[in-house]
C-alpha cells in the first residue's frame, strides 16, 4: 500500500472540509483510513496512544464528532450495542453483517443496492446519494451452539 497516497487522500478530505489540520485529527483519520473494520472510540484511543501518547478519551470523542459532522467519518450504531463504531467514509461504501450473539462484524464489499437506487430515483424523482444496509444474524460459530 502506498502510504503517501493514502495520506494525501485523507488529508485532502480534511482540507476540503474546511477543518484545521490538527495532529489528533490526522492520527484519527490515519487509523480509520487504514482499518478494514469499524472501530469504537476506545480502540481508536488506544491506537493513538500507542503511537503518539498525548491524548485523552474525551479528545478522541470530540474530534470524532467533528469528523462525523463533516462527513469524513461515518458513525455506526447497531441496535443492542451501546458502543458506536466509527469508520473512514471512503467514496465506495461498505455494508455489514452483525452477529447478534457475539457481536462479530463482517464487511460485505459488494453493494447489492446500486441498481435498486437507480430505479428508485426514476420512480421517486429523488437524487439518492447514500444508503445504509446492515444485516443481522448468527455467525457460523454461534449458529452451531
Ligand atoms: Zn457470533
Ligand atoms: Zn450499498
Amino acid at each position: 500500500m502506498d502510504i503517501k497516497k493514502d495520506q494525501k487522500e485523507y488529508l485532502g478530505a480534511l482540507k476540503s472540509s474546511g477543518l484545521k489540520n490538527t495532529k489528533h485529527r490526522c492520527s484519527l483519520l490515519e487509523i480509520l483510513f487504514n482499518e478494514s473494520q469499524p472501530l469504537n472510540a476506545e480502540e481508536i484511543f488506544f491506537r493513538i496512544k500507542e503511537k503518539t501518547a498525548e491524548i485523552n478519551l474525551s479528545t478522541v470523542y470530540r474530534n470524532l464528532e467533528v469528523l462525523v459532522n463533516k462527513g469524513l467519518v461515518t458513525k455506526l450504531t447497531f441496535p443492542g450495542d451501546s458502543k458506536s463504531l466509527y469508520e473512514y467514509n471512503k467514496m465506495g461504501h461498505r455494508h455489514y453483517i452483525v452477529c447478534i450473539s457475539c457481536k462479530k462484524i463482517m464487511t460485505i464489499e459488494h453493494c447489492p443496492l446500486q441498481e435498486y437506487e437507480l430505479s428508485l430515483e426514476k420512480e421517486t424523482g429523488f437524487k439518492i446519494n447514500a444508503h445504509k444496509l446492515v444485516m443481522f444474524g448468527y455467525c457460523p460459530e454461534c449458529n452451531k451452539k
Side-chain angles (χ1 to χ4, degrees):
M1 196 185 279
D2 186 343
I3 290 173
K4 287 240 172 67
K5 200 174 139 231
D6 282 358
Q7 208 174 34
K8 224 172 153 184
E9 183 174 334
Y10 64 76
L11 291 180
L14 190 63
K15 201 176 168 198
S16 54
S17 73
L19 289 173
K20 254 195 245 152
N21 176 342
T22 68
K23 196 175 72 189
H24 290 151
R25 280 172 196 161
C26 289
S27 326
L28 275 173
L29 288 173
E30 188 189 353
I31 287 161
L32 293 175
F33 190 90
N34 292 309
E35 188 60 46
S36 57
Q37 297 287 324
L39 299 172
N40 69 42
E42 273 132 64
E43 291 167 329
I44 298 166
F45 167 66
F46 285 118
R47 284 183 203 208
I48 296 181
K49 264 193 114 170
E50 270 171 25
K51 291 169 70 176
T52 52
E54 287 303 305
I55 194 160
N56 57 52
L57 191 55
S58 61
T59 309
V60 171
Y61 272 111
R62 205 173 51 240
N63 279 295
L64 279 171
E65 284 311 310
V66 173
L67 295 169
V68 168
N69 286 338
K70 287 287 181 181
L72 273 79
V73 169
T74 306
K75 184 178 183 176
L76 305 155
T77 313
F78 298 114
D81 204 344
S82 55
K83 277 181 193 153
S84 295
L85 299 174
Y86 299 88
E87 67 168 359
Y88 184 80
N89 190 8
K90 290 195 176 138
M91 288 310 277
H93 60 281
R94 281 171 291 185
H95 297 299
Y96 305 97
I97 311 180
V98 181
C99 175
I100 51 183
S101 171
C102 71
K103 310 285 185 208
K104 182 184 5 245
I105 298 170
M106 239 184 79
T107 307
I108 314 162
E109 296 290 347
H110 170 73
C111 174
L113 291 176
Q114 266 147 12
E115 272 176 39
Y116 178 61
E117 269 193 3
L118 288 177
S119 70
L120 202 60
E121 283 188 340
K122 271 196 197 133
E123 204 181 304
T124 63
F126 269 66
K127 174 78 195 83
I128 298 167
N129 51 29
H131 62 249
K132 282 186 179 177
L133 175 69
V134 185
M135 309 277 191
F136 295 95
Y138 292 98
C139 70
E141 288 85 62
C142 294
N143 205 18
K144 274 185 220 142
K145 284 173 205 161

